[in-house]
Amino acid sequence: MTVPDGPHPVLAERTGETLVPTHCCFCGVQCGMYLRVDRRGKVFGVEPRDHDINRMRMCPKGINAYQQINHPDRLTAPLLRERRDQPFRAVGWEEALDHTAERIRRIQQESGRDAFGVLGGASLFTEKAYLVGKFARVAARTRHVDYNGRLCMVSAAGANKLAFGIDRAANPFADILQTDCLLIAGANVGECFPVLTQYLWGARDRGAKLIVVDPRETVIARTADEHVALRSGTDAAFFNAVLHVLVREQLTDEDFLAAHATGWAELKAKVSEYPPDRAARICGVPAEQVVRVARMFGSAPRAMAWHARGIEHHTQGVANCLTVINLCTATGNLGRPGAGYGTLTGQGNGQGGREHGQKSDMLPGGRSISDPVHRAEVAAIWGIAEADLPPAGTSMMEMVWQMQAGEIRGLLGVCNNPFVSLPHYATVKDGYDKLDFHVQLDFFLSETAANAHVVLPVTTWAEDEGVMANAEARVVKHNKAQEPPPGVRTDTWVLCELARRLGHGDKFDFPGSREVFEELRRASAGAVNDYYGITYERLEATGGLAWPCPDLEHPGTPRLFEDGRTYHPDGRVHLQTVDWHPPAEPQDAEYPLTLTTGRTVAHFLSGNQTRRLDPLVAQTPRPWVELHPSLGYANGQPVKVSSRRGSMVLPALVTEAIRPDHVFVPYHWAYPVAANELTIDALDPRSKIPEFKVCAVRIEPAAAVDPVAAPPRPPGRAAHPAPDDMSPPTAPQGRGTDDRR
Amino acid sequence: MLGRTLFIDPGRCIGCQACVSACRECDSHRGTSMIHVDYPDAGHSTAALPTVCMHCEDPVAPCAEVCPAEAILVTADGVVQTADPTRCIGCGNCVGACPFGVPQVDPAQKLQLKCNLCYDRTSAGLAPMCATVCPSGALFYGTLEQLTTERPGVSVVTEFAFGEVVVSTGVAMVAPASHRGPVPGGLPLVEVNGRPA
């Protein structure tokens, strides 16, 4: 590990500013950065940091992230209204908290404890994610708690648990530099994790092969050795066929399988049903390409696969992830430098946020809320009787359906924006509108918060300290760079104050993040997700530690399975057979095209943050519909995109870099140009992840594009000028015409 | 022989515009980016190209040569500075003269906007912001020896042909090892997996 870097010598000495070492708030790479703090203690800029995760490299979101901190849209006072048809009024914290606690109490008295739910987010520090889970179960005593990682990582989580008994990437990023063949599936690395491209190019400089599986030509697919532009929703068929060829050509590692895996005989029988010709028909790619990919991956001395939402946002998301694990295991590519498997987390703490109890079925340490032994262990830490710990709840989308049905009448949301991020906007809005009480914690007024009864202003990532775990399961320390505005509190403080009003203050006596982290360490001790050996001091000294880290001398676990054992009791990889099934909503005569959704480099998830930052808005001011020239549209032409759930008009971005039978819409903008007006709320039955990546749509010419709504801002703030001048897309990844210049 | 300079590798560019955002953060021109990203194959592929000042030589950069106010100065290390605001009249001659399409003129301020290679950083031994943050290595700052240490076999060019005119530049561009002579038209030459792209 790198020794900690001190203040940047040249610039700090010259200007008298302070450089605070921390990490980015955005994606799961968790780039190190400095925040530049002026003499008055205000953050005014960013400086690249030579942390070993990113070695000074940054993406446009990270470079502009600091502009959130002192942004004029910041929420700076609690907002309250009794009914949604009333305007918000600014109130003091005592009134807002008393009102909230009273409404929680009343709802639970009238309709039972489970009538109140809690929804968290995976961009929270791990301490706060832990506290969300504890608050729901111990203070609100409800079974209903889930988080927005339900829209991100839960398919990968499900597959990891089934196969390995542990839910994290098997290898660190640095292993990419040592691999001989890198398979990237459903991960638009250049736009979602731009800094990872240094690792990809580092591997290729050594002669490594790159295989990219994606319906679109992403920026890394353009130069890949193989770009498999398959139909969205056919990943399982493709990977089964690759494994079929590996078996046929004896490229599997039978010794490894015999020593370290179970279920190989059944899996081999299953993939015998997937010859390349079958995959070619299902996936829409040449059969020869299946063979080439299999030979490339299977013949590499060390091969590695990483994937992201593109194969996970499906009704068989868990199955898709399992087929990639099957490939790595069958070729013996686990537990060695340059050989392995990983999943790329989209949110800054997409890994850490799912580890310690924020999920509907999980307790700290990755323990199961259904396991009596696990329950007793956590209840003891929390000082409650095991019987008082609620059972498992339901997933985020299911909670919305329960809100519609009146089973959940009240909700506390923190660090999420479901109005933009959950699929099927009409259902989401209906669910939230039916709530008798809704309180949202945020630092900007998101579309979801703007619909709430109470909005509580909380800190940005730079106004508190805490940890996140990046996509390689490395726990990194974020440091406080600035005091928050006077009316703003930490999420920790808010949750503790609410818990006190609900009568459980004795279990929520946390002055700050450090004290929460100390309890989290104890709560995770002895479990699979063991953080016991991680302290703030050790993180500062090392630059970050990968869990499991069971004691204070343990060096951390950058690479799993080096001892040849998984975390199942038998120590083996539990291979699972997978059959491919069509998506919930295949193309048909009425809706002949497939919509797939995803990110653009300038924006982050629901866009609640990035849609307020002028440089990022200038880079990408509005969404578009990306489509192939054979569909007959001119670049910039208004196109109406319709699904069975809604429609919108977007400018066309005409490019050959997408399949002719697919269209793509980025998902960062809100109604009336929110991709979730089109997407389907069909769920993977195991992970409950929505199928964002496939639904059936049709397109037709239209007269004018729908406007981009300015993000909501607190009452009384001056309006930002709308960024939208209605001109065609300018420069989203070079896919269209740059005719503004 | 190249000293410390920028190396552009268009084959690596992912078009993320981190360089543009980073340029905006450089203290010498805070708030305004002096560079941009072009998309030379728009509508067909995701190819992208960072467009930075090439700091031409030969013997004087064309923009400096045509400047009627002598506002564009070249420091001893070959860096073509942005126009001196006390001298620049915003006439736009430099825009027309530059074969790479780099300078822009702010008509309201009557002032040229052009990369100065983050002179406050490079003169203090740091890399320019754009190359510091570039996620893919499409922009690299250092010596040719440092570049070839990281990427054995890489080949670079510093001569570009525009019709009959050959311009030598202080900034280098990675080109296929098979290429000989000036790069025509200033457009990138990229080979992907041994094929022109």
Side-chain angles (χ1 to χ4, degrees):
Chain A
M1 298 296 182
T2 305
V3 295
D5 42 346
H8 202 293
V10 176
L11 296 179
E13 285 167 18
R14 183 161 66 219
T15 66
E17 71 197 70
T18 304
L19 294 178
V20 174
T22 189
H23 292 264
C24 186
C25 61
F26 289 127
C27 87
V29 177
Q30 282 296 285
C31 295
M33 60 161 57
Y34 292 109
L35 290 173
R36 303 175 71 185
V37 182
D38 67 21
R39 295 175 200 265
R40 299 166 299 147
K42 293 293 188 190
V43 173
F44 72 97
V46 65
E47 179 67 25
R49 179 182 170 197
D50 195 8
H51 189 283
D52 60 278
I53 290 174
N54 56 308
R55 294 279 175 218
M56 311 277 271
R57 293 164 170 87
M58 298 178 77
C59 83
K61 292 188 293 295
I63 294 163
N64 290 294
Y66 75 91
Q67 293 174 28
Q68 301 170 79
I69 302 162
N70 294 300
H71 196 278
D73 284 2
R74 284 293 303 274
L75 288 160
T76 52
L79 303 176
L80 191 151
R81 57 187 174 184
E82 293 286 344
R83 300 189 312 275
R84 274 196 195 86
D85 57 3
Q86 296 173 336
F88 282 122
R89 55 189 177 92
V91 299
W93 274 100
E94 287 296 315
E95 180 178 356
L97 293 167
D98 290 345
H99 178 90
T100 298
E102 174 53 32
R103 298 291 278 130
I104 295 174
R105 191 177 295 110
R106 190 193 309 173
I107 284 170
Q108 291 187 316
Q109 282 169 355
E110 291 172 1
S111 306
R113 289 178 185 154
D114 295 339
F116 193 81
V118 178
L119 279 176
S123 292
L124 291 167
F125 291 148
T126 304
E127 293 86 342
K128 296 173 175 177
Y130 167 87
L131 211 55
V132 166
K134 184 180 181 187
F135 174 86
R137 280 124 182 184
V138 176
R141 305 183 69 185
T142 176
R143 64 192 279 254
H144 285 305
V145 55
D146 204 37
Y147 80 131
N148 69 3
R150 185 67 62 181
L151 313 179
C152 297
M153 293 302 306
V154 286
S155 288
N160 279 327
K161 291 284 262 184
L162 283 168
F164 301 128
I166 185 171
D167 169 26
R168 55 157 273 192
N171 295 68
F173 296 146
D175 272 10
I176 295 171
L177 299 173
Q178 302 188 64
T179 196
D180 300 302
C181 178
L182 180 60
L183 175 78
I184 302 284
N188 187 349
V189 169
E191 297 199 65
C192 301
F193 318 100
V195 167
L196 286 190
T197 53
Q198 64 172 319
Y199 290 93
L200 271 63
W201 279 110
R204 304 190 74 191
D205 285 334
R206 288 181 44 257
K209 300 293 188 180
L210 176 63
I211 301 166
V212 174
V213 179
D214 201 302
R216 303 161 72 214
E217 182 195 283
T218 58
V219 290
I220 59 164
R222 183 177 82 86
T223 57
D225 297 276
E226 289 286 345
H227 171 213
V228 184
L230 42 57
R231 289 192 183 103
S232 195
T234 65
D235 311 90
F238 175 75
F239 290 117
N240 275 354
V242 172
L243 188 48
H244 175 104
V245 177
L246 291 171
V247 171
R248 188 180 72 191
E249 306 206 349
Q250 295 173 50
L251 291 169
T252 54
D253 187 335
E254 297 294 331
D255 291 339
F256 182 92
L257 287 159
H260 301 296
T262 66
W264 173 233
E266 296 87 343
L267 178 57
K268 206 162 36 166
K270 174 53 66 182
V271 300
S272 71
E273 302 168 16
Y274 285 85
D277 284 348
R278 182 179 178 199
R281 289 192 301 274
I282 293 171
C283 306
V285 300
E288 313 85 70
Q289 189 172 42
V290 177
V291 177
R292 288 200 304 271
V293 166
R295 289 174 178 163
M296 196 173 281
F297 194 87
S299 62
R302 295 169 298 181
M304 174 172 260
W306 291 78
H307 60 77
R309 313 298 82 71
I311 74 167
E312 298 161 26
H313 274 165
H314 292 280
T315 46
Q316 62 171 165
V318 173
N320 290 341
C321 301
L322 289 168
T323 60
V324 181
I325 291 173
N326 290 346
L327 218 60
C328 295
T329 307
T331 50
N333 282 302
L334 286 171
R336 294 183 282 128
Y341 168 79
T343 62
L344 296 166
T345 51
Q347 295 194 64
N349 202 18
Q351 176 69 48
R354 72 181 194 256
E355 294 169 349
H356 295 294
Q358 202 178 196
K359 286 176 80 180
S360 61
D361 56 358
M362 190 196 274
L363 293 171
R367 294 182 174 90
S368 168
I369 202 168
S370 309
D371 183 316
V373 174
H374 291 174
R375 289 170 57 89
E377 288 167 357
V378 174
I381 295 281
W382 285 352
I384 62 174
E386 185 268 336
D388 287 339
L389 199 50
T394 51
S395 71
M396 194 176 190
M397 191 74 232
E398 291 168 319
M399 285 173 70
V400 169
W401 296 333
Q402 289 172 282
M403 286 150 62
Q404 282 186 298
E407 296 166 31
I408 293 176
R409 296 178 47 219
L411 186 81
L412 181 149
V414 51
C415 192
N416 53 47
N417 192 12
F419 272 43
V420 180
S421 54
L422 274 170
H424 198 172
Y425 172 74
T427 292
V428 177
K429 186 165 194 320
D430 185 56
Y432 273 80
D433 283 348
K434 288 197 159 74
L435 289 170
D436 295 315
F437 178 71
H438 171 206
V439 53
Q440 195 82 11
L441 281 65
D442 213 328
F443 54 87
F444 286 134
L445 192 66
S446 67
E447 286 76 15
T448 307
N451 200 58
H453 298 94
V454 174
V455 183
L456 300 176
V458 291
T459 49
T460 66
W461 96 108
E463 294 161 331
D464 197 4
E465 69 177 344
V467 306
M468 294 198 184
N470 77 349
E472 53 182 354
R474 186 145 172 226
V475 181
V476 296
K477 176 78 188 322
H478 287 245
N479 291 313
K480 181 175 181 177
Q482 179 182 303
E483 289 295 329
V488 174
R489 299 285 186 268
T490 63
D491 312 69
T492 299
W493 183 88
V494 174
L495 293 173
C496 290
E497 284 297 306
L498 287 173
R500 186 167 64 75
R501 285 167 172 77
L502 294 173
H504 300 280
D506 57 323
K507 301 179 183 64
F508 287 83
D509 187 14
F510 297 113
S513 295
R514 177 180 285 269
E515 291 77 13
V516 180
F517 190 68
E518 289 302 306
E519 181 175 290
L520 183 159
R521 289 177 53 223
R522 294 201 312 276
S524 72
V528 172
N529 304 359
D530 195 332
Y531 273 48
Y532 185 73
I534 297 175
T535 65
Y536 282 3
E537 289 72 28
R538 290 197 73 202
L539 293 178
E540 303 274 11
T542 59
L545 288 164
W547 66 265
C549 189
D551 63 67
L552 291 169
E553 304 303 317
H554 196 275
T557 316
R559 187 179 306 108
L560 296 179
F561 317 135
E562 289 189 285
D563 57 356
R565 290 183 57 85
T566 67
Y567 287 74
H568 286 303
D570 61 5
R572 290 178 171 261
V573 182
H574 291 184
L575 295 172
Q576 316 277 326
T577 57
V578 171
D579 248 326
W580 172 74
H581 299 294
E585 191 177 68
Q587 298 157 290
D588 58 28
E590 189 181 0
Y591 295 92
L593 298 169
T594 292
L595 170 72
T596 190
T597 64
R599 291 198 201 179
T600 187
V601 67
H603 287 289
F604 184 67
L605 301 183
S606 80
N608 182 40
Q609 294 154 278
T610 50
R611 285 187 276 121
R612 302 170 197 271
L613 304 184
D614 291 347
L616 298 176
V617 173
Q619 183 172 338
T620 310
R622 83 187 60 74
W624 62 90
V625 54
E626 181 177 305
L627 47 83
H628 195 268
S630 64
L631 295 173
Y633 289 82
N635 196 69
Q637 181 177 354
V639 178
K640 184 180 182 185
V641 190
S642 306
S643 76
R644 291 181 170 90
R645 290 156 294 281
S647 65
M648 67 188 69
V649 183
L650 300 169
L653 198 157
V654 180
T655 179
E656 293 167 2
I658 188 170
R659 290 181 58 98
D661 52 4
H662 280 39
V663 300
F664 168 87
V665 173
Y667 59 45
H668 309 286
W669 284 270
Y671 178 86
V673 289
N676 70 345
E677 293 165 68
L678 304 171
T679 51
I680 189 170
D681 49 350
L683 308 180
D684 181 309
R686 286 187 281 196
S687 65
K688 309 296 181 173
I689 208 168
E691 185 153 62
F692 287 108
K693 293 303 190 236
V694 192
C695 69
V697 295
R698 65 166 182 261
I699 59 175
E700 53 205 309
V705 300
D706 289 326
V708 173
R713 46 186 51 87
R717 298 297 164 82
H720 257 231
D724 202 349
D725 58 8
M726 303 309 235
S727 60
T730 49
Q733 302 307 103
R735 306 176 94 91
T737 301
D738 189 0
D739 55 15
R740 175 179 291 189
R741 200 178 312 279
Chain B
M1 205 53 209
L2 290 167
R4 279 157 58 88
T5 188
L6 274 177
F7 296 85
I8 301 170
D9 186 348
R12 297 197 167 205
C13 185
I14 57 175
C16 68
Q17 300 195 31
C19 54
V20 176
S21 278
C23 185
R24 193 180 291 118
E25 295 296 321
C26 182
D27 284 331
S28 64
H29 46 265
R30 195 79 195 276
T32 304
S33 181
M34 299 298 179
I35 64 179
H36 60 274
V37 172
D38 281 323
Y39 298 92
D41 199 26
H44 302 282
S45 82
T46 51
L49 170 66
T51 300
V52 304
C53 179
M54 300 298 284
H55 297 278
C56 300
E57 304 163 353
D58 212 6
V60 178
C63 60
E65 188 169 356
V66 301
C67 179
E70 295 185 9
I72 302 171
L73 305 177
V74 184
T75 43
D77 48 15
V79 173
V80 184
Q81 298 288 333
T82 194
D84 183 334
T86 65
R87 293 189 180 201
C88 181
I89 59 176
C91 70
N93 273 14
C94 53
V95 175
C98 179
F100 297 97
V102 164
Q104 297 170 55
V105 166
D106 182 330
Q109 292 189 68
K110 294 189 184 299
L111 188 60
Q112 184 212 51
L113 305 174
K114 187 188 82 57
C115 159
N116 67 354
L117 209 61
C118 283
Y119 205 62
D120 60 322
R121 297 175 69 94
T122 50
S123 61
L126 301 176
M129 277 293 255
C130 59
T132 301
V133 303
C134 179
S136 62
L139 290 170
F140 176 93
Y141 180 80
T143 63
L144 182 57
E145 290 71 25
Q146 289 169 327
L147 180 67
T148 54
T149 298
E150 280 193 24
R151 296 166 49 184
V154 71
S155 174
V156 306
V157 296
T158 55
E159 289 190 329
F160 300 85
F162 299 90
E164 297 303 313
V165 178
V166 175
V167 179
S168 294
T169 59
V171 168
M173 187 176 286
V174 171
S178 57
H179 180 76
R180 295 288 182 269
V183 170
L187 288 174
L189 288 180
V190 175
E191 276 183 6
V192 172
N193 302 321
R195 304 181 304 271

